[in-house]
Amino acid sequence: MSSFICNDITTEAVASGFYHAGYIGASEIPDIADELRFLNEVETGDRYCETYAHAIPKISGRKFSTAEMVGAARCLFYQCDNGEELTKRLANIFALLKTLPNVLLDQAVKSGEYTTEKYFNDTIYMIKNGRKAKTPYGEEVWISEPVKFPWELDA
């Protein structure tokens, strides 16, 4: 299993997700981003038996979409999920990180931002108002499209 240190924008998107999920207040975004980066550095270092110098992430104040926050949380969780024992504080942050994508997706469905469709045993999240298209009979209809979740975000 590979691992890497996520960039600042990915870490900030996850911290923003913590805020949108109601886990923290807006003023705590820089602090939780710093702790998430530290968790990422510790867990990646443990995986490769290395130590990384701690780098405090820069906060841009960018607004993130639900898909960006979910994708970033899934990416960061994967980088930090190595089964090593954590301090109580980092274990609590890791537990919240694990639940974050589902909390954000549930909120998006409840607010009407996304709809869901079942495909065998999987739930597919769809953008509620995808795009306009024309039927073969010339009628205009709205087509829902699956949500595309990014992995690591670009700066």
Side-chain angles (χ1 to χ4, degrees), residues 5-32:
I5 305 296
C6 293
N7 63 25
D8 291 352
I9 207 77
T10 298
T11 305
E12 181 183 359
V14 177
S16 184
F18 273 50
Y19 165 69
H20 286 282
Y23 296 161
I24 62 170
S27 64
E28 297 171 282
I29 289 175
D31 294 335
I32 200 68

Side-chain angles (χ1 to χ4, degrees), residues 8-57:
D8 291 352
I9 207 77
T10 298
T11 305
E12 181 183 359
V14 177
S16 184
F18 273 50
Y19 165 69
H20 286 282
Y23 296 161
I24 62 170
S27 64
E28 297 171 282
I29 289 175
D31 294 335
I32 200 68
D34 186 36
E35 294 200 54
L36 288 164
R37 170 60 61 80
F38 183 69
L39 173 65
N40 188 195
E41 292 163 348
V42 167
E43 293 302 288
T44 299
D46 285 350
R47 186 169 289 161
Y48 296 118
C49 299
E50 296 176 359
T51 303
Y52 296 95
H54 180 60
I56 297 172

